[in-house]
Amino acid sequence: MVQSRGNWSGTLGFVLAAMGSAVGLGNVWRFSYITGEYGGAAFILVYLGCVVAVAIPIMIAELLIGRRTQRNVVGAFSTLRPGTPWFLAGWLGVTVGFVLLSYYSVVGGWVLHYISLAILDGFAGQSTAAIGQLFQSLSANQALQVFWHAVFMTATIWFVSRGVSGGIEWGNRIMMPALFFMLCFLLVYALTTDGAAEGIAFLLTPDWDKISPKAVLEALGQAFFSLSVGMGTLITYGSYLQRDARLPRSALFVTASDTGIAILAGFVIFPLVFTFQLEPNAGPALIFETLPAAFGQLPFGQFLAVLFFLLLTFAALSSAMPLLEVVVAYFVDEKGWTRMQASWIMGGIIFALGVPSALNGGFFGFIDMLTTNWLLPLGGLFVAIFAGWSLTHQERQAEIPASDLRPVLYLGWVFLLRFVAPIAVTVILLQSIGLF
Ligand code: PFF
C-alpha cells in the first residue's frame, strides 16, 4: 500500500517538499501586500505570535495524523476514528484544496505574465507610473488572465500526474536555495536605495493603533496560508513519510525557513515602496509595481527580472502541487482512480473554478478572504481539537516519542494544541463577526 502510493526519497526530500509547499506566493506576494495594508511592524508581530502559538502546533499535529495513517485527508480521519463525523474535517480539507488552488493559480498566471513582460522589454527606462499601468492592463484583460491561469494549471497538473517523488521533489533542491539567494541579492540593492531607512522603519517600528480585530484575523489567516496549514496538505505529505523522520524538528525547520523568507521579502519590498513613492497599501498589485521598477534600474535588470519571476513561478508551482495532491490523493486512495485520471480531471475542474477569480477582482478578493481567513483557520481548529482531545497520549507518543520531543516540550505542545490554538482561533473568528 505504502509502496503503491509512493514515498519520499528520505527525510531531506520530505523537508524540502514541505518547504516547497510553504514557500510560495504567500511569502513574497501575499505577505508583503497584507503587511503593507495593515501597517507593517505591529502586524508582523501579531503574525509571528499566530505562527508560534497556533500554526506550528497544528502543523506538527497534521504531520502526525498523516504519518500515522498513511492515508489521504479524509481517509486519515476515518482510519483513526471510524464511524464518527471526523471524516468531515477531511472533506473540508479537500474542498479548501479545490478553492484555494483555483485562485492561487490565477496569481501564478500573473507571475508568468511578468516573465513574458520581462523577456519582451525588461522594464528598463519605464516610469513608475508606466510600470503600475502594466498591472492595471493585466487586471483589465480577462482573456489574458484566463490564458496564463490555464498555463499555470497545466504545469501543476503535469507535475502532480507524474507522482510524489518524481513530480514534487523535482526542482525543490535547486529552486528553493536559488530563490533565497536571489532575494538576498535584491536585499543588498534595496538597502542602498533612498527609501531604505523609511522601509526599514515601517517594518521595525510597531504602531499598535493599526491593529484592529480585522488585522488580527488577517494575521491568523496569513499564518495558515503561508505555512500551508489547515487543509490537510501536511496530512497528505506526512502520509508519504517514512518512520524515521522527526516530526517536530521538520516542522520547526519548515516554519523557520518560511518565516525567514517572508521577512526577507518584506525587507526587499518596503524600501522599494518608499524609494518609488508607492503606497504600502497598494494591495495585490504591490510586488508587481515595486519589483519591476527596481529591475528597470538595475544593471542586467532584464536578465534578473526574468530569473526572479521564473524562480517565483517555481516557488508557486511547488506550493500549487500539494494543493492538487490533496485532492488527487483522495480520489486515488478512496475511489481507485489512477493518478493520471485524478490529476487531469480534478485539475480541469479547478481550472474552471478559477475562471471567475480571473474575470473579477472583487470575486477574487472575496474568495481569498473566505478561504484564507475563515476556512483554513477552521480546518486548523478541527485538527487541533482532534489531535489535542480525541487522540490519546499513547497515539500521539507513538509518532512523537520522547527522543523526538523532550517531555516538557511535548507537554507544551499538547497545551498549545488543546487550549491556546482552539481558543485563539475561536476568539479571533468570533470577534471578526462582531460577537464580542
Ligand atoms: N503556503 C503557500 C504559499 O505561501 O504560497 C500556499 C499554500 C500551499 C497554502 C499549500 C496551503 C497549501 F496547502
Side-chain angles (χ1 to χ4, degrees), residues 41 71 109 166 177 182-183 188 216 218 246 270 299 335 375 416 419 428:
R71 300 284 298 276
M182 180 89 194
L183 283 170
V188 173
V216 178
E218 289 282 356
R246 296 176 168 192
F270 287 101
K335 305 282 172 208
L375 299 181
L416 290 174
F419 300 104
I428 294 172

Side-chain angles (χ1 to χ4, degrees), residues 149-225:
H149 165 49
V151 175
F152 187 87
M153 253 338 276
T154 308
T156 307
I157 295 171
W158 187 77
F159 278 109
V160 171
S161 68
R162 291 182 60 209
V164 176
S165 309
I168 295 180
E169 277 187 60
W170 188 88
N172 275 334
R173 279 166 209 254
I174 304 155
M175 298 304 165
M176 301 286 297
L179 180 67
F180 173 73
F181 286 118
M182 180 89 194
L183 283 170
C184 290
F185 171 81
L186 289 172
L187 176 70
V188 173
Y189 165 73
L191 292 181
T192 60
T193 58
D194 296 340
E198 219 178 326
I200 291 171
F202 183 80
L203 291 172
L204 294 182
T205 323
D207 175 359
W208 291 103
D209 290 344
K210 297 205 169 121
I211 299 301
S212 58
K214 178 92 197 317
V216 178
L217 178 70
E218 289 282 356
L220 180 75
Q222 176 64 19
F224 280 98
F225 185 97

Side-chain angles (χ1 to χ4, degrees), residues 21-27 100 104 222 224-229 231 233 258 315 319-320 322-323 326 376:
S21 148
V23 176
L25 298 168
N27 303 63
L100 211 161
Y104 197 84
Q222 176 64 19
F224 280 98
F225 185 97
S226 191
L227 292 171
S228 307
V229 171
M231 49 151 291
T233 309
D258 184 75
S319 299
L323 286 165
V326 170
L376 289 180

Side-chain angles (χ1 to χ4, degrees), residues 54-398:
V54 180
I56 298 183
I58 297 177
M59 179 188 276
I60 299 175
E62 283 197 17
L63 292 175
L64 178 162
I65 295 170
R67 186 173 65 179
R68 182 158 183 85
T69 55
Q70 308 273 308
R71 300 284 298 276
N72 64 87
V73 243
V74 179
F77 284 102
S78 46
T79 304
L80 284 169
R81 292 294 177 268
T84 65
W86 276 113
F87 73 94
L88 291 172
W91 261 109
L92 178 67
V94 176
T95 313
V96 177
F98 255 83
V99 181
L100 211 161
L101 181 54
S102 76
Y103 73 89
Y104 197 84
S105 167
V106 173
V107 185
W110 296 348
V111 178
L112 289 175
H113 175 64
Y114 273 73
I115 298 180
S116 76
L117 289 179
I119 291 174
L120 291 179
D121 70 11
F123 314 113
Q126 297 197 36
S127 67
T128 312
I131 284 176
Q133 193 56 44
L134 293 173
F135 190 80
Q136 280 159 22
S137 330
L138 172 65
S139 315
N141 190 338
Q142 300 178 329
L144 192 62
Q145 287 201 66
V146 173
F147 168 74
W148 287 118
H149 165 49
V151 175
F152 187 87
M153 253 338 276
T154 308
T156 307
I157 295 171
W158 187 77
F159 278 109
V160 171
S161 68
R162 291 182 60 209
V164 176
S165 309
I168 295 180
E169 277 187 60
W170 188 88
N172 275 334
R173 279 166 209 254
I174 304 155
M175 298 304 165
M176 301 286 297
L179 180 67
F180 173 73
F181 286 118
M182 180 89 194
L183 283 170
C184 290
F185 171 81
L186 289 172
L187 176 70
V188 173
Y189 165 73
L191 292 181
T192 60
T193 58
D194 296 340
E198 219 178 326
I200 291 171
F202 183 80
L203 291 172
L204 294 182
T205 323
D207 175 359
W208 291 103
D209 290 344
K210 297 205 169 121
I211 299 301
S212 58
K214 178 92 197 317
V216 178
L217 178 70
E218 289 282 356
L220 180 75
Q222 176 64 19
F224 280 98
F225 185 97
S226 191
L227 292 171
S228 307
V229 171
M231 49 151 291
T233 309
L234 293 164
I235 295 183
T236 308
Y237 267 28
S239 76
Y240 301 114
L241 197 53
Q242 280 138 4
R243 292 275 151 201
D244 55 354
R246 296 176 168 192
L247 304 182
R249 184 186 282 198
S250 305
L252 277 187
F253 193 74
V254 171
T255 308
S257 6
D258 184 75
T259 310
I261 292 200
I263 301 218
L264 179 60
F267 276 92
V268 172
I269 302 292
F270 287 101
L272 299 176
V273 167
F274 292 102
T275 300
F276 298 114
Q277 288 160 1
L278 297 162
E279 290 300 325
N281 62 357
L286 191 68
I287 67 158
F288 299 103
E289 292 180 345
T290 43
L291 290 172
F295 291 124
Q297 309 272 318
L298 278 164
F300 309 109
Q302 182 169 19
F303 168 76
L304 293 173
V306 175
L307 183 64
F308 177 80
F309 286 116
L310 261 178
L311 292 175
L312 192 56
T313 302
F314 274 99
L317 274 174
S318 62
S319 299
M321 290 187 282
L323 286 165
L324 183 56
E325 178 67 29
V326 170
V327 179
V328 166
Y330 169 74
F331 283 93
V332 171
D333 282 3
E334 305 290 321
K335 305 282 172 208
W337 293 17
T338 67
R339 173 168 276 280
M340 193 61 88
Q341 280 170 335
S343 306
W344 286 98
I345 296 175
M346 290 302 135
I349 297 177
I350 292 171
F351 164 74
L353 260 176
V355 171
S357 297
L359 298 184
N360 184 317
F363 184 77
F364 174 96
F366 167 75
I367 204 90
D368 174 43
M369 190 267 299
L370 180 73
T371 324
T372 306
N373 294 352
W374 291 88
L375 299 181
L376 289 180
L378 212 57
L381 177 66
F382 291 143
V383 170
I385 295 175
F386 182 79
W389 295 97
S390 180
L391 292 184
T392 61
H393 274 298
Q394 287 74 9
E395 283 172 308
R396 282 191 295 265
Q397 279 173 330

